[in-house]
Amino acid sequence: MAERVRTGKRSGGWWGMWTLIVTEGSLFGYLLFAYFYLASQTEQHWPPTGLPILLIPGINTVILLTSSVFVWLCERCLASGRPRWSLASMATALMLGMGFVLIQLTEWQKKTFDMTTNLYGSLYFTITGFHMLHVLVGLVILMILLIWIALGYFDHRRYAAVTIGGLYWHFVDVVWLFVFSTLYLFPYLDST
Amino acid sequence: MSDVAPKPSDQRLERIPDIGCAPVGSSAERRLAELWETAPGWRGWLSTVDHKEIGLRYLGTAFIFLLMGGIEALIMRLQLARPDQTLLTPDQYNQLFTMHGVTMIFLYSLPVLSGFSNYLWPLMLGSRDMAFPRLNALSYWIFLFSGIFLYASFPLGQGPNAGWFNYVPFAGLEFNPGPNIDVYALGMVLLGISTTVGSINFVVTLFRMRAPGMSIDRVPILVWGTLTASVANIFAVPSVSLAFFLLWLDRNAGTHFFDVINGGKPMLWQHLFWMFGHPWVYAVVLPAMGIVSDALPTFCRRPLVGYSAVALSTMATMLLGFGVWIHHLFAAGLPTLAMSFFGATSMVISIPSAVAVFAWIATIWLGRPVFNTPFLFFAGFVLLFVIGGLSGVMTAAVPLDFQLNETYFVVAHLHYVLIGINVFPVVGGIYYWFPKFFGRMMNETLGKWSFWVMFIGFNLGFFPMHLAGLLGMPRRIYTYAPNMGWNTVNLVTSIGSFMFAAGILIFLVNVAVSLRRGSVSSANPWDAPTLEWATPSPPPAYNFAVIPLVASRHPLWEDRLAEGESRTSLNEGYLLMEGRETIGTTPLDAKPDIILKMPDDSYAPFFLGLFSALVFTGLLLDWRQFTVLMILASGLTLMAWLWPREILLQRIAGSEHAEAGDYG
Amino acid sequence: KDTAAPLNYFLHSAGPASSPTMVLGWVLTTVVAAVFLIITLLLTVALLRKRTVEDPQAIGPENQGMAWIYIGTGVSSCILFALVIYVLITLNTIANPTRTPALTLTVTGYDWWWKVEYEENDAARYFATANEIHIPVGEPVLVKLKSADVIHAFWVPLLAGKTQMIPGLVNRQWLEADVPGIYRGQCTQYCGLQHAHMGFEIVAQNPADFRKWLDEQRRDAAPSSALEVDTGKEFFMTHCSGCHSIRGLGAAGAHAPDLTHLTTRRLIAAGLLANTPENRIKWITHAQELKPGARMPSFALSSGEIAALSAFLSTLN
Ligand code: HEA
Ligand code: HEA
Ligand code: CUA
Ligand SMILES: [Cu+2]
């Protein structure tokens, strides 16, 4: 059994991140379950303020997904030995992520209700708020990765942290698709 | 926790670990001890990441909670012993039964099993530690702090009082304005973090940390049980954390999830709670059933009958367990069709249990039982499990449950399963592994006494509860009238409860006496088959001087089982001593994959645990600035924890990003 | 029926909504007891059977004994499937009455008493009472279940299983009594301080008696005009009518049991006390000792007030 024991691509942290994603994914699953459950049981007009406007949130969705692409690109650049490019790519991703946050904040601002106004308001702000929290955590992670890339902590053979942190960011983005579909698209389905 | 060894050239990525021997006293062994041992004194105490130390702490803390919950129960039994008693006010009684349930379910039954698993997993799997030793420490600290948190308001007479499943709207602000429910809600979210972190650690440990050759069909059943429970927790815990969080928002931020007047739905709580609750009750028994499946064969002098069937049944139980939660809601007025479905699945879930029961009986039948104390507990457990399971089948019968629901019949069921399948295997497990933990045997005479007093007291106390239920006694009543026909059963129950408590007391005395005066134990006093018994008693800090190369399911019985040719190599294997190291293997067939650099002791887990508990304290007391400050402190602690260690050069201990998402 | 254990549904049942369940209970108990005995027997023999002494060091072979699992699990599965079918049949039997219910009434759970409403569709014939439900024998009765505050559960074990009363929802259950009698009911969902003392009674009567009772209940209160009664009434209107209603007197409180025909009820305070004049006074003066936390205060009354109030309440028939 004296075979060569070498670096596994999939470090413990990679496994750990996946399990975290599973449990966080379930969390969002239950949150959306709560939404659908309450929407199906309610006697109120749903959503009370009428169908949501799709334009800005739609653009914002694209922004978030694009940031995921740049995170992926950052990792690729590291792997192919182009740390400068990876740094730029990560910076772009970070900017896009922050852009998402800003646009989302203005979206919140525009709402005529808050989380205490009615049941829908509670759901809307809790779900998007929860997601926002994850985006912020994700941004902190990206920021730290950016610093570490800038400090030259990674090279083409060692960048597991970027893979793992990136995984989290992709998760945050994929979850947004579900949140977006639930809060913005589902009411259209429901109303026809 | 890294993939590579710290060598300055590119060679550091690939290295062939030395194979060799390291007998006790050799220089290699001394070096290992030096590497792995925790610093003495309070420093080591706060910073240790040794899974054995953490495991014992889990066990000890959980037992303290068992005693607290038990004393609460005994006070309740005094009140209920006779009709129309006035020992307790209704309010006191309500807080007592709520804290009793919360303590037993959340602070005793899972943590005690985490204790066993933390202690035993690396030893059983032939590893030097868990996958994430520091997360392990973190999960303990958060457990401890959340336990203290949940008890914070109890001494002030403001403890949680809405029952362990805390139905809204009774648990809402309107009917429960005090701090009690906020304590419960926040405490549960905090505890959920601990459970999640612990579960993640178990899952990754299983995938990464088995000794070479310990393929997935060779791991002990306890490992299967804990793995199944951990996977289940990863899926289920978010449900209850979310429910409690939404409740907390309702109470403190003015949202309307459960607020009936504004369209909130109390049924949402029932669903979210029990979608978690039912998987959870299996999570708190499957590892305990694993304890029996592993330890019973030792005393039967033969391997477990049907290893694969039992392992599969463990997972099948859990899988089905996600599809039965409605059986706690049969009285909620749901459509008949839904109830038919969930009633049927609740009965079908007995089939995997049947597999396990018959496997145990067959093991005893075909073996040559040695009637030592642990064996008595395990054999007694089988009987109690069957009684508890059968009463579960009765409650799963939907129309009958319309009657049984919320009566003492359910209380009887839950104690038979929880005490029968959790407490008995746990106490038996302590008798069994005590020599491994402390290097001393427990006293047999006291042991037999403790078993018989517990066994008789338990049945005397809890069997009559079935009758009380059939006589119509509702649960959660602080007193009852003398003309309801419940006087005798309650008196007997109270007497039995105290007898059971006396049995526990004997057990505790035995522990105390044996710790000092027990006869010194050899490495393998029971002649058991599994790897943990290949280490000295108690095991050294590094567990295995050389990582064993495993060739079968029963490494220490191989010669006598006359299995194939290959033999497990215990004395010769990977040495791995350039810092704290162990071997990582492939997920299924356990081929050596990487050298894992294990972290040193660290204060970070303690402080992260402390700060996150303080975050929750700040939320509870509505100290805004303090909360923000503590969140920052937690974040900084995390950063320090995660900062790439110089010694590893450019490698990042990526794993701990795991928490960054969770509470960063 | 005033049996020793009035909630004992295991041995007694009195209607088509509960009898099939009782039989199911017996069948399941028998099956379960049989399974238990068999397992106990197997376990005992396994423990105690004689073994030929061999090498004490020996370890039994691994791949053996699977027949135990196959047979045991196979037989168990068959039993379980049979039980599932039987259970589902029973569930269907009791899910709905065979005839449409002739009578519908609404019961609302309050902390910690029961409001009972009859004939909601007809404002003229509508009336509300508390803690004592009358039904005609031999007729299925539909009960609509509501809650005014937290979750309670409506349970008359001899007549039917329990159903939660959930705020914001109207649950339904039906029941039917085969024989006249008094059936005890109890709240079974934990609802706070006095969950223990949230009982009620169902009085099943012959249809004729029942109709008579309905007519009596529908009447307004008509206290005599004796002086003492009048003083008592006065006192009531100032101190009690904020919570209690009495039809015909203008007392319209809605937070407490209707007292229009108080004396016709067997028990007071949700099953806690027999409805005697002494107990009524005991209750009014010591509600918080008798039922700590109840939503009615204890009143400190002078002996004059006691006499007047007592006289007044006694006229509420
Ligand atoms: C701790 C672990 C645990 C376990 C293992 C179980 C196991 C089971 N439970 Fe239990 N249950 C609880 C803990 C547990 N339960 C708790 C805590 C509550 C109450 C919560 C509360 O309200 O506070 C509860 C409540 C509860 C209810 C709700 C009752 C009510 O509130 O009205 C129901 C209903 O279906 C139920 C069913 C079952 C079933 C069918 C099993 C099955 O898994 C049992 C399977 C095992 C066997 C059947 C025995 C072995 C099998 C054989 C020997 C084969 C032969 C058998 C036959 C042919 C029948 N349980
Ligand atoms: C692991 C879980 C567990 C365990 C071990 C126990 C143990 C006990 N439980 Fe409990 N119980 C629950 C889980 C558990 N329970 C749950 C989940 C509920 C539902 C709560 C709810 O409705 O919300 C419940 C509810 C419950 C009730 C119903 C309350 C009600 O509905 O009104 C009662 C009533 O008798 C009771 C009694 C007991 C007793 C007497 C013990 C005994 O086993 C306790 C034994 C005592 C000890 C372990 C103490 C140790 C001994 C000493 C310190 C020795 C010294 C003392 C003397 C000898 C005097 N329990
Ligand atoms: Cu109402 Cu319990
Ligand atoms: Cu369950």
Side-chain angles (χ1 to χ4, degrees), chain C residues 40-296:
Chain C
T40 312
L41 191 74
L42 291 176
L43 191 63
T44 317
V45 176
L47 286 171
L48 302 180
R49 83 193 177 95
K50 275 231 160 49
R51 270 97 177 162
T52 47
V53 216
E54 16 170 340
D55 172 13
Q57 289 292 305
I59 296 295
E62 172 150 30
N63 300 316
Q64 204 190 35
M66 286 306 285
W68 276 86
I69 297 183
Y70 295 140
I71 297 175
T73 311
V75 173
S76 304
S77 305
C78 295
I79 300 176
L80 282 162
F81 280 122
L83 287 180
V84 166
I85 291 169
Y86 175 35
V87 165
L88 295 186
I89 292 175
T90 312
L91 177 60
N92 263 319
T93 315
I94 62 157
N96 291 298
T98 44
R99 290 160 293 154
T100 27
L103 174 69
T104 301
L105 48 94
T106 302
V107 180
T108 309
Y110 283 75
D111 279 347
W112 289 275
W113 59 280
W114 314 77
K115 178 174 174 182
V116 188
E117 293 167 287
Y118 285 80
E119 318 234 20
E120 279 169 303
N121 307 332
D122 185 348
R125 293 159 58 84
Y126 167 89
F127 70 91
T129 173
N131 296 340
E132 189 175 303
I133 302 169
H134 286 240
I135 59 168
V137 160
E139 296 266 9
V141 176
L142 180 67
V143 188
K144 294 206 260 173
L145 300 169
K146 298 187 192 166
S147 165
D149 33 52
V150 302
I151 302 179
H152 304 272
F154 179 86
W155 188 39
V156 198
L158 264 52
L159 298 183
K162 62 182 68 67
T163 308
Q164 288 181 8
M165 316 166 95
I166 302 171
L169 273 181
V170 183
N171 273 337
R172 272 150 229 277
Q173 91 156 60
W174 72 282
L175 43 80
E176 178 178 337
D178 289 337
V179 281
I182 292 161
Y183 302 97
R184 176 88 187 187
Q186 167 71 35
C187 175
T188 47
Q189 194 68 42
Y190 171 61
C191 52
L193 291 177
Q194 283 303 332
H195 164 62
H197 291 132
M198 187 165 164
F200 64 100
E201 282 184 339
I202 287 198
V203 180
Q205 296 170 298
N206 294 318
D209 292 342
F210 173 66
R211 238 148 305 242
K212 202 167 127 232
W213 178 83
L214 279 183
D215 289 336
E216 279 168 10
Q217 293 291 315
R218 223 170 271 133
R219 283 183 297 117
D220 283 349
S224 72
S225 50
L227 181 64
E228 196 163 47
V229 171
D230 230 39
T231 328
K233 184 174 118 186
E234 206 76 340
F235 185 88
F236 187 92
M237 293 310 287
T238 43
H239 292 91
C240 320
S241 65
C243 298
H244 291 279
S245 58
I246 295 181
R247 273 174 284 129
L249 297 187
H255 314 295
D258 179 281
L259 299 181
T260 311
H261 300 289
L262 173 65
T263 58
T264 64
R265 307 208 274 262
R266 285 175 19 98
L267 305 171
I268 55 166
L272 186 63
L273 300 169
N275 190 1
T276 61
E278 303 76 55
N279 276 347
R280 289 199 288 266
I281 291 305
K282 208 167 126 196
W283 166 252
I284 293 160
T285 50
H286 295 93
Q288 289 304 317
E289 277 120 275
L290 295 165
K291 198 167 170 178
R295 296 287 153 88
M296 163 154 160

Side-chain angles (χ1 to χ4, degrees), chain B residues 202-508:
Chain B
F202 282 123
V203 172
V204 180
T205 300
L206 181 95
F207 283 139
R208 301 298 283 161
M209 308 298 286
R210 287 171 282 133
M214 173 71 75
S215 54
I216 199 83
D217 57 344
R218 287 178 184 160
V219 300
I221 301 282
L222 169 61
V223 174
W224 279 113
T226 312
L227 174 75
T228 312
S230 302
V231 172
N233 281 337
I234 284 174
F235 283 102
V237 168
S239 181
V240 78
S241 300
L242 178 69
F244 275 105
F245 181 68
L246 296 183
L247 176 62
W248 183 79
L249 282 181
D250 264 15
R251 293 174 57 91
N252 294 280
T255 55
H256 307 291
F257 299 103
F258 308 115
D259 167 11
V260 180
I261 296 161
N262 289 293
K265 298 287 173 215
M267 282 306 287
L268 177 64
W269 176 273
Q270 299 199 14
H271 284 295
L272 284 178
F273 189 89
W274 289 113
M275 283 198 283
F276 151 83
H278 190 90
W280 178 268
V281 302
Y282 287 123
V284 303
V285 294
L286 291 176
M289 288 158 72
I291 289 179
V292 176
S293 296
D294 290 337
L296 185 77
T298 300
F299 298 95
C300 295
R301 315 308 304 142
R302 56 157 298 116
L304 179 70
V305 171
Y307 168 90
S308 312
V310 174
L312 283 174
S313 81
T314 305
M315 286 179 285
T317 304
M318 201 69 239
L319 214 62
L320 287 169
F322 275 91
V324 300
W325 82 91
I326 298 279
H327 70 209
H328 297 274
L329 277 60
F330 283 157
L334 298 171
T336 307
L337 189 67
M339 291 198 282
S340 309
F341 175 79
F342 284 95
T345 49
S346 300
M347 290 209 149
V348 167
I349 208 170
S350 307
I351 294 175
S353 298
V355 171
V357 166
F358 289 105
W360 294 319
I361 296 180
T363 306
I364 300 176
W365 186 290
L366 297 171
R368 285 176 291 115
V370 183
F371 288 80
N372 279 329
T373 305
F375 177 75
L376 294 179
F377 276 93
F378 301 141
F381 144 88
V382 176
L383 210 63
L384 303 182
F385 177 36
V386 170
I387 301 179
L390 292 173
S391 64
V393 170
M394 290 179 72
T395 53
V398 187
L400 191 57
D401 189 58
F402 292 159
Q403 300 286 20
L404 302 174
N405 173 255
E406 293 296 313
T407 64
Y408 262 76
F409 194 88
V410 175
V411 179
H413 163 68
L414 74 87
H415 285 97
Y416 263 90
V417 283
L418 281 165
I419 297 184
I421 324 184
N422 185 302
V423 177
F424 273 78
V426 160
V427 174
I430 288 178
Y431 275 106
Y432 181 60
W433 280 296
F434 192 87
K436 184 55 54 188
F437 295 162
F438 303 112
R440 290 179 186 274
M441 306 295 290
M442 284 184 75
N443 184 306
E444 268 298 308
T445 318
L446 277 175
K448 298 231 160 80
W449 270 98
S450 71
F451 170 75
W452 286 111
V453 175
M454 277 175 70
F455 190 75
I456 296 171
F458 173 70
N459 286 295
L460 186 69
F462 290 85
F463 196 82
M465 281 190 182
H466 293 104
L467 304 181
L470 294 176
L471 291 171
M473 179 167 169
R475 60 194 283 202
R476 300 173 163 183
I477 54 173
Y478 74 98
T479 189
Y480 53 92
N483 61 349
M484 300 303 284
W486 306 330
N487 302 1
T488 318
V489 282
N490 275 299
L491 186 61
V492 176
T493 288
S494 292
I495 293 171
S497 303
F498 276 86
M499 184 167 169
F500 179 70
I504 301 242
L505 196 62
I506 300 175
F507 162 72
L508 293 176

Side-chain angles (χ1 to χ4, degrees), chain B residues 67 73 77 93 100 104-105 164 408 415 475-476 497 500:
Chain B
L67 295 189
R77 284 322 313 177
Y93 184 85
H100 168 69
M104 292 303 198
I105 294 265
W164 80 281
Y408 262 76
H415 285 97
R475 60 194 283 202
R476 300 173 163 183
S497 303
F500 179 70

Side-chain angles (χ1 to χ4, degrees), chain C residues 8-41:
Chain C
N8 176 350
Y9 55 86
F10 188 69
L11 295 179
H12 305 288
S13 74
S18 66
S19 299
T21 306
M22 184 179 69
V23 177
L24 174 70
W26 292 344
V27 172
L28 269 170
T29 311
T30 315
V31 172
V32 155
V35 171
F36 171 71
L37 286 179
I38 293 169
I39 300 269
T40 312
L41 191 74

